């Protein structure tokens, strides 16, 4: 029985019914092998996650380093010199900080580029998503909107901060940083940056765990509850730590405003023989 | 044990419900999308299936909607109920406020009022993802069937329970922006066939179907699908699992 | 004119239609399937409990074979079944299960070793044989000697429908969705396809086919209280009836399922009782053993339904504001079993009743469930009266079920009939008989005639409302042509239905929306459904005996001397108001199992 092509009915019915396309029996091997699908989507997806994870971990570590000011001025001074290699190389090399910053900047730009692929492309998609989000009233969907906006903000704010650190790596120290925060009028930026970065990072980490199925519990809903709790915890902890730290710098900056520009000398170097300098 | 029927409303006066329906008939050139309000008296145990049929029988016979099984198993009647995708047939009005807003599922082709063409999209997805057992083995119908571990059969059924209602697509932020995204329904089907030992396809074969940004890597894990799925399919874990498996292919 | 040509036109995208289409396609025929809804939404998906096939893999199924399945089926039918068909069916059912397994149905499997089950409200430990580990398992169902019902949790129909539907996609068979066949193209001798209405645009098309197969399912929606989906309006059977030459058989044989939730009428599976669930009355008393000491809750469906109605009439029904009902108690099965093997039941109870069936009893009352009757065909699905027309599944009466269908035999029938009828269609197309000379004038006339019918309704200034007539018909059927029937009620029902049929010619529409106006669709369908209702009621009135699901208070006995025959209803003249009934004898000399005590 010769098969008659079904195209006639296809044209007649147009979009009125589905499944008009004749597809070939799957049990027989495909006649021509289509070109293999690119592996890049998988790699880019992993890179996006990996770069995000790296940046989030860096951010946490960074927050701990910066908050060492809460222990003492010397503690922060020590941390700063440590990153300049002072304890391995005999003397500080601020260029090392610039090096680290360049790497962070590169990862940061890479991450932004990878993530931007997921942003709404054009106004139509933007509207579609906003309408959807508003109608659905769904936590995880709204969180992604937060992610977009904090990411967008970070693109500007974090870039400024990173550029600062890239070009002035030597000016990291209790007085130097505090002067930058207060006298240099950077505190509003740091305040916003703090919120944007910590929220973006904690939501990002939460999303990573969901996306790749890490830390699963007995049921998906239970694991999500747990992860959400962890996310809130991380946000709260780091934002609190950040605010207290920033307050410490503001405090120090205000107190040091009159002598702004003065380099910090740690107390263990500030021993009796240097006392007369003032 | 006698009075076990829930009778929350026994002592309360009957509510008047205002059911607002987003109406539009694409077959009518003069029709513009608009909300039309219908008032009805709530009855005990009233579902949106009962309410909409009453409206059609007594108020507006031209109102379009789709119901088939009216028991929550066929997936025909998915719509936006106060903005969230759900099965209208098994939504009790007593769980909603006095003003109920109904709209057709977004994303799918609109047939009219609350009726959308999910079937057409689902068939297209099935063809695109080849959602059938691919096996070169010849089955001898007179021979004893091949054994399967009972747990495995149950695990396959767990994923096979999808009713293609389209709620996951309507609940998916990615799908709203990117029409070619396969969505949770498609990914779940791949997970289902991947789990099935009767299907000969390898991870490499599945990568050909979903290994891109219209497939598993397009998912942004917003979990709208997981949270609106009327069958409570484990979409969250299944998509994550697929992502890991497909990522490994990307590294190879 | 829009004309679509194909070798085989299958009307109906449920399990039977899809499987028949696959059979014909595999033999090289070009096939198109028409479906009211996307095929995966067909009512086949609602079959919960399972499919009977005598695999005999389980401890309680040991020793099962085709002969026992055959006997159960014939006894269950109250000797109304065609035993040739029943033989073929029981022989093919195990093959169908295996075919479905190969297509991906995740049948529940035997777990070797001991397991606890509930039998007759006692906890019993069964030990499943080691050799059967991993083979397809089975549960108990009513009216069977062995545990024979293969299942996938309580979503058996769903899993089967998805596997078979996916198979048709794999084979590239087009399904034209949201299409309704509105009449058959025929010349009184041969069928040439169907006139089809597009339910989106409202336009009529002609599908010309060498073989046409009706697989549109049952007509439960002529009843008010039914477990059937809203699309089960029997239009496929009605268009066959309207040819005037094709008879509908045994239309009075209508099954009522004992456990539909009250009042919504949604099915909870027989598997609930098969797995050990009990029926209780207002006092919490388990009443079935009083009536049926041997089979108790697991007697045939017709028996259980009748006992339940009688028990309610004796004043033992529980009641809520909607009326009287009884209780289904599955709390004794335990939460784990309910969550695993009866999860649809659990969801239905949660969503429609707001109760947890693991802790609370389910209010149930029998509701219309299945149409044993349908388009009369031979044992291979060829319809009587028109060459080139076939029917299978619930829409057909090849007569597997006689006057009562066993639970688990209907989904089994869909795929088995699909296998057999699909081959028969392919055979037909391969012979000269399958050739056809169709006149374009005939096709055009058929279409013009249907166009005129729709136009008449759309432009009528009649005062009758389609939905009012529909509701009245459904009420009459549930009240007077239900589980317990008598001559007086049936006479009243027939008169009222005749009256409704006349009134249905005066329907006027209140709306005129472009496209497929749903009101027009209802108005057109109710005329057809009234004819089916008359076939049921009039057939029931004439049959002065009780057989299977057809129970007459005034004739409570089966009467083999008078009534060992099949009712054939014809509608030869469009103007006639009741069907013409003819009867064909069931020949005892050809019965493998002669009529006897049903047990």
């Amino acid at each position: 029985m010769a098969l008659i092509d079904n195209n006639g009915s296809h044209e007649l019915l147009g979009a009125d019914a589905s499944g008009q396309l004749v597809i070939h029996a799957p049990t027989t091997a495909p006649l021509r092998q289509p070109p293999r699908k690119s592996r890049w989507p998988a790699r880019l997806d992993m890179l996006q996650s990996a770069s995000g994870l790296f940046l989030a971990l860096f951010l946490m570590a960074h927050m701990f380093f910066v908050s060492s000011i809460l222990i003492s001025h010397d503690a922060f001074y020590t941390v700063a010199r440590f990153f300049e290699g002072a304890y391995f190389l005999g003397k500080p090399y601020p260029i090392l900080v610039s090096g680290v910053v360049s790497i962070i900047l590169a990862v940061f730009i890479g991450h932004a580029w990878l993530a931007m692929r997921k942003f709404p492309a054009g106004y139509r998609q933007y509207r579609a998503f906003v309408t959807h989000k508003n109608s659905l009233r769904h936590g995880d969907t709204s969180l992604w909107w937060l992610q977009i906006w904090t990411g967008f903000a970070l693109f500007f704010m974090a870039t400024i901060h990173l550029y600062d650190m890239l070009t002035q790596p030597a000016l990291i120290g209790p007085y130097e940083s505090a002067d930058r925060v207060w006298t240099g009028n950077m505190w509003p930026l740091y305040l916003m940056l703090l919120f944007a970065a910590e929220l973006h990072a904690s939501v990002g980490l939460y999303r990573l765990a969901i996306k790749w199925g890490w830390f699963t519990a007995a049921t998906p809903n239970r694991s999500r509850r747990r992860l959400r709790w962890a996310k809130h915890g991380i946000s709260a902890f780091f934002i609190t730590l950040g605010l207290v730290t920033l307050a410490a710098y503001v405090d120090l900056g205000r107190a040091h405003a009159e002598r702004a520009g003065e380099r910090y000398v740690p107390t263990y170097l500030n021993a009796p023989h240097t006392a007369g300098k003032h | 044990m006698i009075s076990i029927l829930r009778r929350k409303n026994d002592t309360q006066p009957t509510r008047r419900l205002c059911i607002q329906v987003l109406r539009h008939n694409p077959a009518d050139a003069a029709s513009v999308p608009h909300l039309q309000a219908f008032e009805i008296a709530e009855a005990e145990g009233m579902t949106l299936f009962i309410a909409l049929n009453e409206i059609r029988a007594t108020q507006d016979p031209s109102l379009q909607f789709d119901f088939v099984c009216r028991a929550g198993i066929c997936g025909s009647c998915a719509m936006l109920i106060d903005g969230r995708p759900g099965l209208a047939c098994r939504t009790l009005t007593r769980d909603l406020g006095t003003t109920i807003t109904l709209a057709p599922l977004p994303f799918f082709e609109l047939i009219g009022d609350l009726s959308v063409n999910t079937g057409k999209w689902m068939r297209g997805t099935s063809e695109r993802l080849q959602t059938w057992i691919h096996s070169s083995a010849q089955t001898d119908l007179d021979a004893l069937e091949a054994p399967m571990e009972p747990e495995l059969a149950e695990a396959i059924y767990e994923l096979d329970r999808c009713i293609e209602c389209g709620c996951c697509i309507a609940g998916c932020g990615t799908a709203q922006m990117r029409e070619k995204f396969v969505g949770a329904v498609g990914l779940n089907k791949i997970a289902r066939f991947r789990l099935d030992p009767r299907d000969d396809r390898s991870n490499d074969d599945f990568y050909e179907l979903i290994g891109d940004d219209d497939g598993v890597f397009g998912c942004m894990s917003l979990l709208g699908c997981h949270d609106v799925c009327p069958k409570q399919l484990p979409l969250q874990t299944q998509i994550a699992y697929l992502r890991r498996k497909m990522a490994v292919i990307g590294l190879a | 004119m829009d004309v679509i040509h194909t070798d085989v036109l299958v009307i109906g995208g449920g399990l039977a239609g899809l499987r028949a289409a696959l059979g014909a396609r595999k033999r090289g025929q070009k096939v198109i399937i028409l479906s009211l809804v996307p095929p995966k939404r067909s009512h086949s998906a609602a079959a919960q409990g399972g499919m009977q096939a005598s695999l005999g893999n389980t401890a309680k199924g040991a020793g099962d074979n085709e002969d026992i399945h055959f006997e159960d089926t014939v006894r269950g039918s109250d000797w109304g079944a065609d035993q040739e068909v029943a033989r073929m069916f029981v022989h093919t059912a195990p093959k169908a299960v295996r075919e479905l397994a190969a297509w991906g149905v995740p049948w529940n499997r035997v777990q070797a070793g001991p397991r606890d089950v509930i039998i007759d409200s006692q906890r019993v430990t069964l030990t499943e044989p080691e050799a059967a580990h991993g083979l397809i398992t089975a549960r108990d169902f009513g009216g069977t000697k062995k545990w024979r019902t293969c299942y996938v949790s309580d979503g058996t129909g769903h899993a089967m429908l998805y596997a078979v539907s996916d198979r048709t996609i794999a084979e590239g068979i087009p399904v034209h969705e949201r299409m309704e066949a509105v009449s058959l193209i025929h010349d009184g001798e041969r069928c040439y396809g169907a006139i089809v209405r597009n339910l989106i645009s409202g336009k009529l098309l002609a599908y010309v086919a060498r073989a046409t197969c009706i697989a549109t399912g049952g007509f439960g929606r002529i009843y008010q209280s039914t477990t059937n989906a809203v699309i089960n309006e029997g239009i496929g059977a009605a268009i066959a009836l309207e040819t005037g030459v094709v008879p509908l058989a045994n239309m009075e044989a209508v099954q009522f399922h004992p456990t539909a939730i009250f009042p919504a009428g949604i099915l909870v599976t027989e598997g609930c009782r098969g797995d050990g669930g009990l029926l209780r009355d207002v006092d919490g008393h388990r009443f079935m053993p009083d009536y049926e000491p041997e089979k108790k809750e697991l007697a045939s469906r017709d028996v259980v339904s009748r006992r339940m109605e009688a028990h309610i009439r004796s004043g033992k029904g529980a009641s809520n504001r909607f009326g009287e009902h009884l209780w289904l108690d599955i709390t004794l099965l335990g939460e784990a079993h309910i969550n695993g093997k009866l999860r649809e039941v659990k969801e239905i109870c949660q969503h429609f009743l707001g109760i947890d069936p693991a802790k609370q009893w389910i209010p149930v009352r029998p509701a219309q469930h299945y149409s044993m009757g349908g388009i009369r065909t031979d044992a291979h699905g060829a319809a009587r009266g028109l060459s080139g027309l076939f029917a299978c599944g619930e829409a057909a009466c090849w007569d597997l079920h006689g006057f009562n269908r066993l639970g688990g035999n209907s989904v089994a029938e869909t795929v088995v009939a699909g296998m057999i009828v699909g081959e028969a269609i392919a055979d037909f197309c391969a012979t000269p008989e399958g050739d056809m000379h169709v006149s374009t004038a005939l096709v055009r006339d058929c279409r013009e005639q249907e166009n005129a019918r729709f136009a008449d309704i759309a432009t009528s200034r009649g005062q009758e409302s389609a939905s009012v007539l529909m509701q009245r018909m459904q009420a009459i059927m549930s009240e007077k042509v239900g589980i317990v029937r008598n001559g007086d009620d049936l006479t009243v029902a027939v008169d009222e239905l005749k009256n409704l049929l006349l009134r249905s010619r005066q329907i006027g529409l209140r709306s005129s929306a472009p496209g497929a106006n749903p009101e027009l669709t209802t108005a057109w369908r109710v005329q057809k459904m009234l004819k089916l209702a008359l076939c049921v009621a009039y057939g029931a009135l004439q049959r002065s005996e009780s057989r299977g699901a057809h129970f007459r208070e005034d004739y409570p006995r089966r009467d083999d001397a008078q009534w060992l025959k099949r009712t054939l209803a014809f509608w030869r003249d469009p103007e006639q108001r009741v069907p013409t009934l003819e009867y064909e004898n069931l020949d005892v000399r050809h019965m493998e199992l002669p009529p006897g005590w049903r047990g």
Side-chain angles (χ1 to χ4, degrees):
Chain A
M1 208 56 54
L3 277 178
I4 308 154
D5 189 14
N6 205 25
N7 280 342
S9 56
H10 183 42
E11 282 162 21
L12 280 170
L13 286 158
D16 283 341
S18 64
Q20 337 258 323
L21 293 175
V22 176
I23 48 171
H24 296 284
T27 38
T28 56
L31 293 177
R32 50 208 153 91
Q33 206 69 40
R36 211 177 69 142
K37 200 160 218 157
S38 162
R39 264 47 180 163
W40 274 106
R43 292 172 196 155
L44 294 180
D45 194 55
M46 281 185 282
L47 278 176
Q48 184 187 339
S49 291
S51 58
L53 179 65
F54 173 79
L55 288 171
L57 293 177
F58 169 78
L59 186 70
M60 287 170 159
H62 169 278
M63 187 52 82
F64 282 121
F65 298 143
V66 172
S67 64
S68 59
I69 191 81
L70 298 174
I71 301 172
S72 72
H73 295 179
D74 280 355
F76 181 60
Y77 178 87
T78 309
V79 168
R81 294 294 82 76
F82 172 84
F83 282 102
E84 288 169 353
Y87 305 109
F88 321 108
L89 306 173
K91 74 182 199 79
Y93 289 95
I95 188 76
L96 288 180
V97 173
S98 294
V100 171
V101 172
S102 333
I103 293 169
I104 299 293
L105 190 61
V107 176
F108 176 76
I109 291 170
H111 179 74
W113 178 78
L114 288 166
M116 253 172 25
R117 299 176 309 145
K118 310 281 174 179
F119 277 31
Y123 185 66
R124 195 200 63 76
Q125 290 192 3
Y126 176 87
R127 277 310 319 161
F129 190 87
V130 170
T131 312
H132 168 74
K133 170 183 74 74
N134 293 342
S135 127
L136 196 63
R137 290 164 286 122
H138 172 251
D140 283 271
T141 302
S142 303
L143 272 186
W144 187 71
W145 204 233
L146 180 72
Q147 196 79 332
I148 285 202
W149 283 109
T150 50
F152 191 67
L154 282 174
F155 203 72
F156 298 100
M157 299 195 295
T159 309
I160 294 172
H161 178 57
L162 284 166
Y163 183 77
D164 245 6
M165 294 300 107
L166 186 69
T167 52
Q168 299 174 319
L171 293 183
I172 302 176
Y175 290 163
E176 297 86 334
S177 298
D179 288 343
R180 185 164 44 244
V181 167
W182 182 253
T183 311
N185 283 326
M186 287 297 269
W187 64 268
L189 180 88
Y190 285 162
L191 187 63
M192 289 189 291
L193 186 57
L194 170 71
F195 277 94
E198 293 304 340
L199 287 175
H200 191 90
S202 61
V203 175
L205 287 175
Y206 164 78
R207 192 80 71 202
L208 267 184
I210 298 269
K211 193 181 250 188
W212 296 96
W214 299 334
F215 312 112
T216 48
T219 69
N221 288 351
R222 201 173 304 161
S223 67
R224 185 129 61 102
R225 255 198 312 278
R226 212 156 66 180
L227 287 172
R228 208 177 286 151
W229 191 87
K231 170 181 74 74
H232 290 325
I234 291 173
S235 296
F237 176 77
F238 282 101
I239 287 177
T240 311
L241 185 63
L243 283 176
V244 174
T245 305
L246 186 59
Y249 281 109
V250 167
D251 210 37
L252 182 59
R254 286 174 68 177
H256 194 254
E258 284 180 15
R259 288 180 283 134
E262 179 200 26
R263 302 295 300 263
Y264 180 78
V265 182
T267 46
Y268 53 86
L269 294 179
N270 206 0
H273 68 276
T274 53
K277 258 180 130 178
H278 289 282
Chain B
M1 284 303 261
I2 299 303
S3 62
I4 62 170
L5 259 196
R6 193 197 286 178
R7 294 200 191 165
K8 239 169 37 185
N9 296 336
D10 256 11
T11 51
Q12 292 161 12
T14 308
R15 294 197 301 173
R16 296 290 300 172
L17 298 178
C18 174
I19 299 190
Q20 297 184 309
V21 180
L22 183 58
R23 302 205 58 182
H24 178 47
N25 182 2
D28 181 358
S31 166
V32 282
H34 64 285
L35 272 184
Q36 185 175 352
F38 299 97
E39 271 218 1
I40 56 166
E42 188 174 35
E44 162 126 18
M46 184 180 249
T47 58
L48 289 176
F49 164 72
I50 296 171
L52 284 168
N53 274 294
E54 188 178 317
I55 291 171
R56 181 147 86 183
T58 61
Q59 299 188 36
D60 191 333
S62 69
L63 186 62
Q64 295 188 62
F65 47 75
D66 292 324
F67 288 100
V68 177
C69 74
R70 60 84 171 86
I73 53 166
C74 78
S76 300
C77 63
M79 57 182 71
L80 293 184
I81 302 162
D82 287 337
R84 285 182 79 108
L87 298 181
C89 72
R90 68 176 205 191
T91 302
L92 292 164
T93 54
R94 71 169 176 229
D95 297 333
L96 303 169
T98 49
T99 300
I100 301 166
T101 307
L102 303 178
L105 278 197
F107 185 86
F108 300 99
E109 179 182 291
L110 180 70
I111 291 172
D113 300 337
L114 300 172
S115 170
V116 291
N117 205 337
T118 46
K120 183 178 169 184
W121 190 86
M122 292 295 169
R123 166 100 186 200
T125 300
S126 256
E127 288 173 356
R128 174 176 159 198
L129 298 181
Q130 305 181 9
T131 60
W132 54 84
I133 296 281
H134 289 53
S135 171
S136 50
Q138 286 294 320
T139 316
D140 179 358
L141 299 184
D142 293 316
L144 213 56
E145 65 272 15
M148 178 186 273
E149 277 307 309
E151 295 82 21
L152 178 60
E154 283 171 25
I156 294 171
Y157 176 62
E158 180 67 24
L159 306 184
D160 202 44
R161 293 175 65 242
C162 169
I163 55 172
E164 297 191 359
C165 60
C167 284
C168 59
I169 301 293
C172 174
T174 309
Q176 306 311 307
M177 294 190 289
R178 295 172 176 88
E179 288 122 0
K180 281 158 110 190
F181 183 51
V182 294
V185 54
L187 295 173
N188 176 67
K189 281 185 187 291
I190 294 296
R192 180 244 176 273
F193 285 99
R194 201 186 154 278
L195 192 60
D196 199 321
R198 295 166 291 199
D199 195 314
D200 296 340
R201 286 177 288 182
S202 65
N203 281 341
D204 274 302
D205 297 325
F206 290 121
Y207 187 93
E208 294 302 316
L209 300 170
I210 56 162
D212 58 22
D213 283 350
D214 290 329
V216 71
F217 302 120
C219 169
M220 306 193 296
S221 311
L222 307 186
L223 301 180
C225 56
H226 184 93
D227 292 339
V228 300
C229 176
K231 290 286 148 188
Q232 273 114 38
L233 295 175
L235 300 172
Q236 175 187 329
T237 37
Q238 287 306 316
I239 296 175
Y241 184 70
L242 270 187
R243 189 188 283 270
R244 293 204 296 272
K245 294 296 165 197
M246 293 300 108
V248 169
I249 302 290
L251 290 177
Chain C
M1 179 167 56
D2 294 344
V3 182
I4 292 157
H5 294 269
T6 181
D7 289 329
V8 179
L9 178 68
V10 176
I11 304 171
L15 272 172
L18 294 173
R19 183 59 190 81
L22 278 165
R25 181 73 190 83
K26 212 162 269 174
R27 296 268 304 273
Q29 304 302 324
K30 184 184 158 194
V31 183
I32 293 177
I33 300 171
L34 302 179
S35 185
L36 289 176
V37 295
K40 285 175 180 164
R41 313 225 186 283
S42 304
H43 194 50
S44 306
Q48 297 171 351
M51 143 167 193
Q52 288 210 36
S54 54
L55 300 178
N57 290 331
T58 63
K60 280 291 201 174
D64 196 12
N65 58 39
E66 293 170 16
D67 297 334
I68 305 177
H69 189 186
F70 172 80
E71 281 187 25
D72 284 342
T73 302
V74 174
R75 271 179 216 283
S77 80
D78 220 353
W79 279 272
D82 181 323
Q83 298 195 6
E84 186 196 341
V85 170
R87 230 334 134 184
M88 207 162 54
F89 164 76
V90 297
H91 176 68
T92 315
K95 299 176 201 282
V97 172
R98 294 185 185 122
E99 181 179 73
L100 290 165
W103 288 350
V105 172
W107 297 111
N108 279 61
R109 302 290 173 141
V110 176
Q111 174 80 53
R115 64 178 178 129
D116 280 356
V117 296
I118 306 283
I119 298 175
D120 197 12
S121 83
Q122 303 297 316
R123 189 164 290 277
V124 178
T125 303
L126 297 178
T127 305
E128 297 294 348
E130 202 61 50
H133 183 77
L135 298 180
I136 294 168
T137 190
R139 59 163 44 130
D140 198 9
F141 250 44
T144 62
K145 285 208 175 64
K146 300 281 181 184
W147 290 24
R148 187 188 297 131
T149 307
C150 308
Y151 63 98
V152 182
S153 181
D154 60 350
T156 314
H158 167 90
M160 290 168 67
L161 181 62
Y162 272 57
V164 175
S165 182
D166 280 339
R167 206 66 233 158
T168 60
I169 298 173
E171 298 293 340
I173 301 175
V175 181
H176 295 183
E177 294 172 5
R178 294 175 186 269
M179 292 284 186
E180 177 164 35
V182 294
S183 74
L184 294 173
I185 304 170
H186 71 100
D187 54 13
E189 283 173 4
R190 198 197 192 289
C191 178
Y192 301 104
I195 303 296
V196 173
R197 182 162 178 257
N198 181 324
L199 292 178
I200 297 175
S201 69
K203 289 208 179 75
L204 293 186
L205 306 142
Y207 282 71
V208 173
R210 300 199 293 137
T212 305
C213 178
I214 298 180
T216 50
F219 49 80
R221 282 281 151 181
I222 65 172
Y223 282 84
Q224 185 176 51
S225 172
T226 174
T227 62
N228 281 196
V230 299
I231 53 170
N232 296 134
E233 298 181 308
I235 300 303
I239 62 174
L241 179 71
E242 285 190 342
T243 59
V245 289
V246 177
L248 303 185
N250 282 352
M251 292 294 278
E252 64 270 31
V254 175
Q255 181 172 76
F256 293 80
H257 195 288
T259 57
I261 63 169
F262 184 77
I266 294 167
L267 176 74
V268 291
T269 173
E270 184 156 327
C272 288
R273 283 171 292 134
D275 292 359
L278 306 176
L279 291 168
R280 297 184 188 277
D281 64 14
V282 64
D283 306 320
H285 172 64
R286 182 188 173 197
F287 60 90
M288 276 309 291
D290 304 343
Y291 298 109
E292 300 290 330
E294 195 191 333
K295 294 184 178 171
K296 303 175 179 115
E297 280 83 358
L298 287 173
S300 285
R301 284 178 177 174
D302 57 321
V303 175
V304 179
S305 293
R306 215 147 45 228
R307 297 301 190 189
M308 288 172 74
E309 283 302 306
H311 202 66
I312 289 174
R313 285 187 193 194
S314 74
K316 289 294 186 183
S319 66
N320 64 25
R321 54 181 292 168
F322 299 105
E324 289 184 297
H325 62 85
L326 293 162
W327 301 111
L328 172 64
D329 172 12
I330 58 170
T331 57
L332 66 167
L333 305 186
E335 193 150 2
H337 183 88
I338 292 172
N339 287 345
K341 301 289 184 342
L342 296 169
R343 52 196 300 174
E344 294 297 335
V345 171
K346 184 185 166 154
E347 277 189 23
I348 286 167
C349 288
Q350 276 173 344
H351 287 104
F352 294 94
L353 298 167
I355 65 166
D356 177 358
K359 299 194 177 74
Q360 290 159 297
W361 297 348
I362 308 166
V364 293
R365 184 162 187 173
Q368 192 282 344
H369 182 59
Y370 189 81
S371 329
M372 271 78 74
I375 299 166
R376 180 70 186 127
T377 71
D378 68 11
H380 292 86
R384 184 167 303 180
L386 277 184
S387 149
L389 180 65
F390 294 80
C392 63
E394 192 177 346
C397 181
W398 63 338
D399 225 356
L400 170 63
H401 308 303
F403 274 74
N404 176 62
R405 169 177 75 74
L406 291 188
N409 260 358
S410 70
V411 264
E413 180 193 25
T414 59
V415 282
V416 168
M419 289 167 91
I420 292 167
V421 178
E423 287 299 317
I425 292 171
D427 287 345
F428 172 82
C429 287
T431 59
E433 213 190 344
D435 288 330
M436 98 186 150
H437 307 276
V438 60
S439 124
T440 56
L442 174 71
V443 176
R444 191 182 57 234
D445 286 350
C446 286
R447 200 178 79 125
E448 289 314 314
Q449 192 181 354
E450 283 310 308
N451 248 339
R453 281 196 200 176
F454 279 99
D456 280 352
I457 302 173
T459 56
S460 158
R461 298 193 181 279
Q463 294 301 307
E464 299 289 352
S465 147
S467 59
V468 168
L469 296 185
M470 180 84 85
Q471 282 167 17
R472 187 64 209 134
M473 168 188 70
Q474 291 167 336
I476 294 169
M477 292 304 288
S478 276
E479 283 163 23
K480 299 200 160 61
V481 200
I483 299 168
V484 179
R485 303 167 175 177
N486 62 60
D488 296 342
D489 278 353
L490 289 170
T491 309
V492 174
V494 169
D495 286 345
E496 267 208 72
L497 290 169
K498 283 193 318 200
N499 185 29
L500 288 180
L501 185 64
L502 279 185
R503 286 169 62 189
S504 73
R505 291 167 190 162
Q506 304 299 321
I507 292 174
L509 303 190
R510 287 175 291 160
S511 61
S512 62
N517 181 357
E519 190 185 17
L520 176 58
T521 308
T522 309
W524 176 85
R525 285 181 188 163
V526 75
Q527 297 178 341
K528 301 236 171 341
M529 293 167 76
L530 278 163
K531 287 183 181 169
L532 297 179
L534 274 160
C535 289
V536 176
Y538 194 58
L541 175 62
Q542 298 303 319
R543 185 174 282 270
S544 53
E545 66 153 354
S546 290
R547 185 182 293 272
H550 169 70
F551 181 75
R552 289 277 300 258
E553 287 173 306
D554 40 357
Y555 299 96
R557 293 265 162 87
R558 193 176 85 201
D559 181 357
D560 286 333
Q562 292 278 336
W563 286 104
L564 194 59
K565 47 193 176 189
R566 195 171 284 126
T567 314
L568 298 178
F570 290 88
W571 208 286
R572 296 196 170 99
D573 174 4
E575 296 304 314
Q576 73 186 86
R577 290 169 59 196
V578 286
T580 308
L581 297 188
E582 293 174 8
Y583 293 91
E584 62 178 357
N585 289 319
L586 297 172
D587 192 348
V588 184
R589 286 169 304 174
H590 288 107
M591 286 186 182
E592 217 178 303
L593 186 70
W597 187 58
R598 229 180 141 199

